[in-house]
């Protein structure tokens, strides 16, 4: 496992494209979050806004770059035929998958943490000028506040889980374009379906099982009692999606030729 992990780390860091994609995760997350924070307003007490969730909106954009990094970790090897060399060097295929997952997570977590902290820092300076003040019932953003800390930590875990979900699907389908298409469909089609469906019960069920909608519930710090699913329970749903994808990818990796 140690040798496999070192090999995967070497492959990931020596690909310049991966470096730019990881930087893209941070830039997209902070930039989109800053844009939303700057354009949001709370003009009176009880305006109903969630300042933490607003400045973490960029996570929705950053997850796309995370998914691309994860998919290319596998897709590039299948595309070039290098996967045969990898599996020859490390015959235990689950070890290869676990090594890829470990290295991907080790790269994603610090990038996600930097992105989330940067977004919160921007929000702390910008949002008071947009009406999110003590006079309107909002304290300055701080990680010493329990809900804010939960939203921040949960967002970091969310991005890591999206990466693992994408990795599992890429191993299963073995094609980068197809895998990215499936990941984006899973993340973004469910919320669209929930809006289209007229039945409120079905809307709620779709929101409860959708990986993005459920997972991002962890960002909510206002009105959590009105969410279709609790913050940590929602992140648990995304974790189940990631585990299922990795399990399916691992099973197919073991049963098919490279």
């Amino acid at each position: 496992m140690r040798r496999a992990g070192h090999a995967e780390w070497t492959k990931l860091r020596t690909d310049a494209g991966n470096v730019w994609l990881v930087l893209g995760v941070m830039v997209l997350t902070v930039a989109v979050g800053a844009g939303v924070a700057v354009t949001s307003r709370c003009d009176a007490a009880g305006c109903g806004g969630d300042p933490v969730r607003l400045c973490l909106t960029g996570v929705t954009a950053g997850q796309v770059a995370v998914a691309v990094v994860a998919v290319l970790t596998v897709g590039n090897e299948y595309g070039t035929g290098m996967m045969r060399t990898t599996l020859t060097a490390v015959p235990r295929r689950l070890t290869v998958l676990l090594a890829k997952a470990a290295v991907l997570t080790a790269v994603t977590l610090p990038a996600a943490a930097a992105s989330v902290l940067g977004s919160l820092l921007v929000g702390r300076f910008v949002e008071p000028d947009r009406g999110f003040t003590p006079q309107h019932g909002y304290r300055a953003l701080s990680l010493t506040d329990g809900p804010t800390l939960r939203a921040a930590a949960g967002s970091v875990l969310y991005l890591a889980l999206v990466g693992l979900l994408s990795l599992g699907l890429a191993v299963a389908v073995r094609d980068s374009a197809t895998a990215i298409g499936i990941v984006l469909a899973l993340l973004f089609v469910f919320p669209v379906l929930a809006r289209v469906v007229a039945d409120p019960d079905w809307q709620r069920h779709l929101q409860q099982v959708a990986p993005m909608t459920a997972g991002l519930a962890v960002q909510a710090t206002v009105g959590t009692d009105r969410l279709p699913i609790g913050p940590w329970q929602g992140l648990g749903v995304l974790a189940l999606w990631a585990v299922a994808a990795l399990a399916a990818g691992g099973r197919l990796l073991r049963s098919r030729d490279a």
Side-chain angles (χ1 to χ4, degrees):
M1 179 65 183
R2 191 174 186 180
R3 289 173 55 200
H6 185 268
E8 294 303 327
W9 165 244
T10 301
K11 284 185 282 187
L12 190 145
R13 70 179 175 81
T14 54
D15 188 336
N18 288 330
V19 176
W20 286 108
L21 283 169
V22 172
L23 289 174
V25 173
M26 295 184 280
V27 172
L28 274 174
T29 303
V30 176
V32 173
V36 172
V38 167
T39 56
S40 301
R41 288 201 62 85
C42 180
D43 295 320
C47 63
D50 188 337
V52 176
R53 196 166 195 173
L54 287 172
C55 66
L56 291 177
T57 304
V59 170
T60 306
Q63 68 180 342
V64 177
V66 170
V68 172
V69 172
V71 167
L72 293 182
T73 299
V74 175
N76 282 347
E77 289 199 54
Y78 276 115
T80 61
M82 188 177 177
M83 184 59 78
R84 297 188 186 90
T85 304
T86 297
L87 296 179
T88 300
V90 186
R92 294 188 177 184
R93 298 188 174 199
L94 288 184
T95 299
V96 172
L97 178 58
L98 290 174
K100 288 183 179 294
V103 170
L104 177 66
T105 303
V107 170
T108 304
L109 284 176
S115 304
V116 168
L117 290 175
S119 299
L120 290 174
L121 185 62
V122 171
R124 181 180 174 87
F125 286 104
V126 168
E127 290 185 333
D129 293 333
R130 310 306 297 169
F132 293 96
T133 60
Q135 291 77 12
H136 292 164
Y138 295 99
R139 293 185 294 178
L141 296 185
S142 173
L143 292 178
T144 59
D145 178 57
T148 302
L149 179 60
R150 183 251 298 150
S155 295
V156 173
L157 293 175
Y158 175 87
L159 288 172
L161 289 170
V162 167
L164 294 176
L165 169 64
S166 305
L167 178 68
L169 289 172
V171 173
V173 302
R174 302 196 293 187
D175 178 76
S176 297
T178 303
I180 292 172
I182 294 172
V183 171
L184 295 182
L186 280 175
L187 293 175
F188 293 103
V189 170
F190 271 102
V192 174
L193 288 176
R195 291 177 180 272
V196 172
V197 173
D199 189 302
D201 290 332
W202 274 103
Q203 285 183 351
R204 187 176 183 83
H205 292 323
L206 285 171
Q207 292 170 340
Q208 289 171 334
V209 301
M212 184 171 76
T213 306
L216 288 178
V218 78
Q219 294 182 340
T221 62
V222 175
T224 54
D225 57 324
R226 298 190 298 272
L227 294 173
I229 190 169
W232 289 119
Q233 291 91 332
L235 198 65
V237 169
L238 176 59
L240 289 175
W241 277 96
V243 169
L246 287 171
R251 184 177 181 83
L252 290 171
L253 184 65
R254 293 182 65 185
S255 63
R256 296 183 305 199
D257 294 332

